[in-house]
Amino acid sequence: MREVAILGIGQTKIDEHWDRSLKDLAGEAVLVALKDAGLPGVEALFVGNMMSGPANNQQHLGASIADWVGLRYADAMHIEAACSSGSAAFRSALMAVASGEIDTAIAMGVEKMTDSPGEEITGYLATAADADWEVDMGLSFVALNALIMRRYMFEFGWKKDDFAPFSINAHANGAHNPFARFQEPISLADYQRAGSICEPINLMDASGIGDGAAAAVLVPLELAQQRGLPVIKVVGSGAATDTIAVHNRREPLWLKAAEISSKTAYAQAGVSPADIDIFEAHDAFSIMAALSLEGSGFAEKGQAPRLALDGEIRPTGRIPIATRGGLKARGHAVGATGMYQIVEVVQQLRGEATGTQVENARIGMAQNIGGSGSNIITHIFKRQ
Amino acid sequence: MREVAILGIGQTKIDEHWDRSLKDLAGEAVLVALKDAGLPGVEALFVGNMMSGPANNQQHLGASIADWVGLRYADAMHIEAACSSGSAAFRSALMAVASGEIDTAIAMGVEKMTDSPGEEITGYLATAADADWEVDMGLSFVALNALIMRRYMFEFGWKKDDFAPFSINAHANGAHNPFARFQEPISLADYQRAGSICEPINLMDASGIGDGAAAAVLVPLELAQQRGLPVIKVVGSGAATDTIAVHNRREPLWLKAAEISSKTAYAQAGVSPADIDIFEAHDAFSIMAALSLEGSGFAEKGQAPRLALDGEIRPTGRIPIATRGGLKARGHAVGATGMYQIVEVVQQLRGEATGTQVENARIGMAQNIGGSGSNIITHIFKRQ
């Protein structure tokens, strides 16, 4: 297997982009990433997206975006793994370059939900859950996460306010990120008076969805080393699924797929959780950030809120998460989220995370979750 | 790059499966392929599908199908490239195994359109075309192909009946395939009296869509060689896109993406068109079979109908196509079609194509087209 590095990154602000199309957002991310990489084009394009079929009347995003950005005749395909579509596209690009089949690739994620023809985004999002046994019973994603969070509070004795630090940290960091959807810090009082969405989840526990695109250019390591810039190497990639329905899991409070995918990535990278300097976790809901930290070995089962309460998830803490705002404040552009996480890890490892730079960050990890933990993809990156 | 072989294949009959779900069809193809391979499971699952989101209210097919077939915790993702989704999934699986990241993989395609909640299949299919500049102008896929066919007849002087042999050959071959949707031969008279869909395309020029699933097990070559069965090696894989809108192409009658992807595959395999013993072409419409033969180097530009009229596309001819019925008679299960083509090439190379076996078939090619030639993926296989 050939070693692979990231040569360029690009992203758009996450927002309700009423005046911009999916192609427009995708194009911006791709062109910024190409410029950052100093390349005129690439051989292959891997597009992560969850719901352009129903939301934009456009499938076939590989060909569509390749055409739009001028990558004429490129090899291109669209990869979908619900909210983990972005990192699934990255993993596909990684294997393509690692195999030697492709020399230069762009992995990207894009989602455009605002102004969709059907206006049923909650319904489209629910297609990531089990259609027969969850959605048909009336479960939306926030409802599924509310059930998990309530059980977690019951099992481990945490109170609602114990989850506040996840949201406060995310918003504090997002305030420094010009690409974040929400750029204002929040206080404990803000968290406490936030309206309930589906008890115990309130507005400050739930990430805000939004439109956006993020991209990275992948090349063989030798090519990146010739550039003379800080080289960001991909050192670990793991992916695992779990039952799509939460009720089928033996332990609904344990993300087995996070455990498996992170262990695979740690083994490939030759590191342990103690070596990770920053961790872009998938905080679609506060409870998911907690479960992700536990499944990946940063906290004991049921103990992640302790880490958060002790300030260890802040940029100055033991394991900084949501360093550019996370899904909560940077925003959750669904099929693009995994690529935002990777772009942000690269920013940290390059020392470009203005305002929330983690000192001496050398090894970073990104973990992207699809469905309620039914697909989890973990990548580890290292600055050479 | 590690060499890769196909160890097992599986498929369901293509039909209007009113009584079967997407998961049910997918499960059958996967379990048959695993049994054929003699493996209890695989590490990774790559699912090709075009429209399960709108048609089945279910995205996230990687996790969903892995869960259903008992591949608990497997790495799994869904790949979409419109009608070329099946071969895009195969190509992803190929790169995963070739890279060394994955040792055993299943590539599969599945589509279930009958009894969909929205009942707007023509609309879902149109999401493979350019939403802004084709579909919004009222163009469906049959309309796009009708425009291409009419121009082709005008440019090269062919008459409508000159396309009949494509359909007659497909139906003659499909009559021997128990998995084919249509298993009855047709005559020239049948072709001539077939109702028009969109002139000049009639019912016998257009493939019949249907529900189905097909799968193949990919492993490193050494593993396949230990089995003592005929080893089917993947020797070439090429993929290319073109403008998504047909009107943006300099030459709308030339499939540039077929030319590029087939040349890539020929170069990798070290063969030329003259070495190919069978060719599973993407005959979604008769005109596409013709353009595919030309773009891949089997006929001069504008001359493919000559090949067909001379009987050279039959199992006994120079370049047999649609040997198990093709999209026309075996049926076009959209996101599964690319995998049906690959499964059929393997059947031919193994000598298992009862009734339409091409004598001494040693090298076979499959070419899958997404959109109106906007994504074309070509694979070449060789019996060792």
Side-chain angles (χ1 to χ4, degrees):
Chain A
M1 235 168 106
R2 192 155 71 155
E3 291 190 289
V4 179
I6 296 185
L7 195 58
I9 50 174
Q11 61 184 319
T12 73
K13 181 173 191 297
I14 294 187
D15 217 331
E16 286 187 13
H17 287 293
W18 289 89
D19 56 342
R20 302 187 65 184
S21 70
L22 181 144
K23 282 193 282 201
D24 192 20
L25 293 167
E28 180 179 329
V30 167
L31 295 178
V32 170
L34 280 173
K35 195 175 170 197
D36 188 40
L39 293 180
V42 290
E43 284 173 39
L45 177 70
F46 297 84
V47 180
N49 170 274
M50 179 173 169
M51 46 190 164
S52 73
N56 313 102
N57 281 342
Q58 182 73 69
Q59 291 274 17
H60 209 186
L61 290 189
S64 172
I65 295 172
D67 184 14
W68 178 257
V69 300
L71 292 173
R72 190 64 56 82
Y73 310 130
D75 177 7
M77 62 178 81
H78 157 219
I79 290 105
E80 187 268 329
C83 301
S84 58
S85 299
S87 59
F90 185 87
R91 186 166 153 82
S92 296
L94 174 65
M95 293 193 288
V97 178
S99 74
E101 176 78 15
I102 296 291
D103 279 326
T104 54
I106 285 181
M108 68 168 305
V110 60
E111 203 77 62
K112 158 77 182 178
M113 293 166 282
T114 305
D115 203 20
S116 83
E119 307 285 352
E120 292 168 345
I121 297 299
T122 303
Y124 302 155
L125 284 167
T127 60
D130 190 307
D132 300 334
W133 299 106
E134 292 183 325
V135 184
D136 270 9
M137 307 301 155
L139 279 168
S140 68
F141 262 97
V142 64
L144 278 164
N145 279 274
L147 289 170
I148 296 170
M149 185 171 170
R150 188 180 288 287
R151 184 76 200 174
Y152 185 93
M153 291 165 70
F154 171 80
E155 290 282 351
F156 302 112
W158 297 106
K159 292 187 301 294
K160 172 78 185 127
D161 279 1
D162 297 331
F163 291 86
F166 289 107
S167 190
I168 294 170
N169 170 61
H171 280 278
N173 296 341
H176 297 277
N177 179 4
F179 300 104
R181 170 142 197 207
F182 303 113
Q183 301 181 19
E184 285 182 23
I186 64 158
S187 64
L188 177 60
D190 292 329
Y191 181 84
Q192 286 166 331
R193 68 169 165 254
S196 177
I197 303 179
C198 183
E199 274 187 39
I201 290 178
N202 72 22
L203 203 58
M204 291 300 143
D205 287 308
S207 56
I209 56 169
D211 313 321
V217 177
L218 292 89
V219 297
L221 182 60
E222 318 86 78
L223 185 63
Q225 284 165 335
Q226 292 163 12
R227 281 292 301 286
L229 295 171
V231 171
I232 310 300
K233 218 168 118 175
V234 190
V235 290
S237 176
T241 51
D242 200 343
T243 67
I244 190 159
V246 175
H247 60 249
N248 278 340
R249 294 183 202 152
R250 209 171 286 268
E251 296 189 71
L253 299 182
W254 184 251
L255 296 179
K256 188 75 183 168
E259 181 193 336
I260 297 173
S261 72
S262 65
K263 280 186 176 165
T264 303
Y266 291 140
Q268 286 182 3
V271 301
S272 74
D275 299 312
I276 304 297
D277 298 315
I278 61 151
F279 175 40
E280 287 303 331
H282 190 94
D283 57 333
F285 299 94
S286 310
I287 181 67
M288 274 296 136
L291 296 185
S292 184
L293 282 162
E294 295 170 13
S296 308
F298 296 108
E300 292 298 309
K301 191 173 175 178
Q303 297 311 310
R306 186 76 268 146
L307 265 188
L309 288 163
D310 291 347
E312 299 292 9
I313 62 169
R314 291 186 215 145
T316 51
R318 154 68 206 99
I319 183 70
I321 69 170
T323 71
R324 305 302 285 161
L327 281 66
K328 179 67 199 80
R330 172 241 295 136
H332 182 22
V334 192
T337 287
M339 285 308 307
Y340 274 96
Q341 296 176 309
I342 288 170
V343 162
E344 290 162 357
V345 168
V346 172
Q347 288 184 308
Q348 285 284 0
L349 300 184
R350 282 179 173 181
E352 295 174 356
T354 314
T356 60
Q357 180 64 49
V358 172
E359 265 187 73
N360 301 318
R362 219 179 121 252
I363 302 179
M365 182 160 118
Q367 185 172 83
N368 194 195
I369 303 184
S372 306
S374 48
N375 190 44
I376 304 190
I377 305 181
T378 307
H379 282 100
I380 300 177
F381 305 88
K382 198 169 176 177
R383 190 189 67 224
Q384 268 206 323
Chain B
M1 236 168 103
R2 192 155 72 156
E3 292 191 288
V4 178
I6 297 185
L7 195 59
I9 51 174
Q11 60 185 319
T12 73
K13 183 175 189 296
I14 294 187
D15 217 331
E16 286 186 13
H17 287 293
W18 289 90
D19 55 341
R20 301 188 64 186
S21 69
L22 181 145
K23 283 193 282 200
D24 191 22
L25 294 167
E28 179 179 329
V30 167
L31 296 178
V32 171
L34 281 173
K35 194 173 172 202
D36 187 40
L39 293 180
V42 290
E43 284 174 38
L45 177 70
F46 297 83
V47 180
N49 170 273
M50 178 174 169
M51 47 190 163
S52 73
N56 313 104
N57 281 342
Q58 180 75 68
Q59 291 274 19
H60 210 185
L61 290 188
S64 171
I65 295 172
D67 184 13
W68 178 256
V69 299
L71 292 173
R72 188 65 54 84
Y73 310 128
D75 177 7
M77 61 178 82
H78 158 219
I79 290 105
E80 186 267 330
C83 301
S84 57
S85 299
S87 59
F90 185 86
R91 186 165 153 81
S92 297
L94 174 64
M95 293 192 288
V97 178
S99 74
E101 176 77 17
I102 296 291
D103 278 326
T104 54
I106 285 181
M108 69 167 306
V110 60
E111 203 77 64
K112 157 78 181 179
M113 294 166 281
T114 305
D115 203 21
S116 83
E119 307 283 353
E120 292 169 344
I121 297 299
T122 302
Y124 303 155
L125 284 168
T127 60
D130 189 307
D132 300 333
W133 298 106
E134 291 183 325
V135 183
D136 270 9
M137 305 302 155
L139 279 168
S140 67
F141 262 97
V142 63
L144 278 164
N145 279 274
L147 289 170
I148 297 170
M149 184 170 173
R150 188 181 288 287
R151 184 77 199 174
Y152 185 92
M153 291 164 70
F154 171 80
E155 291 281 353
F156 302 112
W158 296 107
K159 294 189 301 292
K160 173 77 185 126
D161 279 1
D162 297 332
F163 292 87
F166 290 108
S167 190
I168 294 169
N169 171 62
H171 281 277
N173 295 341
H176 297 278
N177 179 3
F179 299 104
R181 170 139 198 212
F182 304 112
Q183 301 183 19
E184 286 183 21
I186 64 158
S187 65
L188 177 60
D190 293 328
Y191 180 83
Q192 287 167 330
R193 70 169 165 254
S196 176
I197 303 179
C198 183
E199 276 189 37
I201 289 177
N202 72 23
L203 203 59
M204 290 300 143
D205 287 308
S207 57
I209 56 169
D211 313 321
V217 178
L218 292 88
V219 297
L221 182 60
E222 319 84 80
L223 185 62
Q225 284 166 334
Q226 293 163 11
R227 282 293 300 285
L229 296 170
V231 171
I232 311 300
K233 217 169 117 174
V234 189
V235 290
S237 176
T241 51
D242 200 342
T243 67
I244 190 160
V246 175
H247 60 250
N248 278 339
R249 294 182 203 154
R250 211 172 284 269
E251 297 189 70
L253 299 182
W254 184 252
L255 297 178
K256 188 73 182 170
E259 182 193 335
I260 297 174
S261 71
S262 65
K263 279 185 176 165
T264 304
Y266 292 141
Q268 286 183 2
V271 302
S272 74
D275 300 313
I276 304 296
D277 298 316
I278 61 150
F279 176 38
E280 288 303 332
H282 190 93
D283 57 334
F285 299 94
S286 310
I287 182 67
M288 275 296 135
L291 296 185
S292 183
L293 282 162
E294 294 170 13
S296 308
F298 296 108
E300 292 298 309
K301 190 173 174 178
Q303 298 310 310
R306 186 76 268 147
L307 265 188
L309 289 163
D310 290 348
E312 299 292 10
I313 61 168
R314 290 185 214 144
T316 51
R318 152 69 204 97
I319 183 69
I321 69 170
T323 71
R324 305 301 286 162
L327 280 66
K328 179 66 198 79
R330 170 242 296 139
H332 183 20
V334 192
T337 287
M339 285 308 307
Y340 273 96
Q341 295 176 309
I342 289 170
V343 162
E344 290 162 357
V345 168
V346 172
Q347 288 183 308
Q348 285 283 358
L349 300 184
R350 280 179 173 181
E352 295 173 357
T354 314
T356 60
Q357 180 64 48
V358 172
E359 265 188 72
N360 301 318
R362 219 180 120 251
I363 303 179
M365 182 160 117
Q367 185 173 83
N368 194 195
I369 303 183
S372 305
S374 49
N375 190 44
I376 304 190
I377 305 181
T378 307
H379 282 101
I380 300 177
F381 305 88
K382 197 169 177 177
R383 191 189 65 225
Q384 268 207 322

